[in-house]
Amino acid sequence: QVQLRESGPGLVKPSLTLSLTCAVSGGSISSGDYYWSWIRQYPGKGLEWIGYIYHNGNTFYKPYLKSRVTISVDTSKNQFSLKLSAVTAADTAVYYCARYRAKPAANFDYWGQGTLVTVSS
Amino acid sequence: DIQMTQSPSSLSVSVGDRVTIACRASQSISNYLNWYQQKPGKAPQLLISAASSLQGGVPSRFSGSGSGTDFTLTISSLQPEDFATYYCQQSSTTPHTFGGGTKVEIK
């Protein structure tokens, strides 16, 4: 059973960089046709895909976030990370890491429990 | 970006009712449509993929249909554990996008 767990600061000051890590257990991050994803959920409901990374390092980002987002993978630690720079209050959300299974059916099949990140001074 | 529009945004129903939730894509996505269930304080959980394929362990009272731009999630007889928020999501192209959610509440 694959499990994902997010970790990182719950409070980030405006203009600084949000950094989160997702540890993957129960399977290798390097195997299979999977993309390792970050998704956030704003207070109140909306879900937003931020981007994902393949184990070879190829990344795909939501275009309007691309200038501020970096997703990286550490296969030796079986984990991947999110950095979001120049944060504002609008980046306050619950951040989820998730596995995207590309084939045979493209979907987010495993999710972490989520971590709330608040941007405030 | 492909916009995903769900309706209704909320509905009040009773145990045993039949529930239908609609999801419309702003352009054709073939059958690259997934449904998720989310309970308060929890991560979304995949229910249905490829528009109509039930995930393992999901009760058969859940079903999905549709292709192209119009999709439907149906719960044939609502059970107490089904009160939750449901989201559709398209995987046709990046950026992946989600519908705004439908909250199913107890009447």
Side-chain angles (χ1 to χ4, degrees):
Chain A
Q1 178 80 348
V2 173
Q3 292 186 318
L4 298 91
R5 181 172 292 272
E6 306 90 350
S7 61
L11 180 64
V12 182
K13 295 185 187 306
S15 80
L16 297 187
T17 296
L18 177 161
S19 296
L20 297 174
T21 296
C22 182
V24 179
S25 59
S28 171
I29 206 168
S30 299
S31 65
D33 204 5
Y34 304 116
Y35 292 75
W36 302 93
S37 313
W38 289 98
I39 294 164
R40 64 184 178 181
Q41 186 166 32
Y42 298 106
K45 266 203 290 197
L47 287 159
E48 179 179 53
W49 175 77
I50 297 170
Y52 51 35
I53 189 166
Y54 197 58
H55 60 77
N56 65 2
N58 286 348
T59 52
F60 301 81
Y61 300 133
K62 183 147 190 174
Y64 90 96
L65 291 172
K66 193 173 183 178
S67 63
R68 297 198 292 133
V69 172
T70 302
I71 297 177
S72 58
V73 64
D74 186 337
T75 55
S76 67
K77 294 182 178 179
N78 219 39
Q79 65 185 35
F80 61 106
S81 299
L82 169 72
K83 291 188 185 299
L84 181 64
S85 64
V87 297
T88 70
D91 295 308
T92 293
V94 174
Y95 286 75
Y96 293 100
C97 58
R99 189 180 82 169
Y100 180 78
R101 184 176 64 173
K103 297 175 183 176
N107 54 57
F108 297 99
D109 60 352
Y110 287 97
W111 297 61
Q113 83 281 3
T115 187
L116 174 63
V117 178
T118 301
V119 178
S120 175
S121 55
Chain B
D1 300 6
I2 296 176
Q3 306 302 314
M4 306 300 294
T5 303
Q6 281 183 243
S7 60
S9 58
S10 66
L11 66 164
S12 295
V13 296
S14 300
V15 172
D17 285 353
R18 180 181 181 89
V19 172
T20 300
I21 298 169
C23 177
R24 173 166 287 177
S26 60
Q27 64 189 71
S28 178
I29 57 171
S30 184
N31 70 335
Y32 289 97
L33 190 284
N34 305 306
W35 289 99
Y36 300 84
Q37 177 192 67
Q38 186 178 35
K39 295 183 178 179
K42 302 292 187 182
Q45 182 176 352
L46 181 65
L47 289 179
I48 290 171
S49 65
S52 60
S53 295
L54 214 60
Q55 295 301 291
V58 176
S60 59
R61 61 181 178 272
F62 289 91
S63 64
S65 64
S67 67
T69 60
D70 292 302
F71 302 87
T72 300
L73 172 69
T74 300
I75 310 172
S76 60
S77 177
L78 199 77
Q79 297 303 298
E81 60 268 30
D82 301 335
F83 290 97
T85 301
Y86 295 85
Y87 295 92
C88 60
Q89 174 257 323
Q90 65 83 16
S91 291
S92 175
T93 61
T94 57
H96 298 294
T97 46
F98 292 82
T102 297
K103 186 174 184 179
V104 178
E105 299 176 296
I106 301 172
K107 182 182 287 184

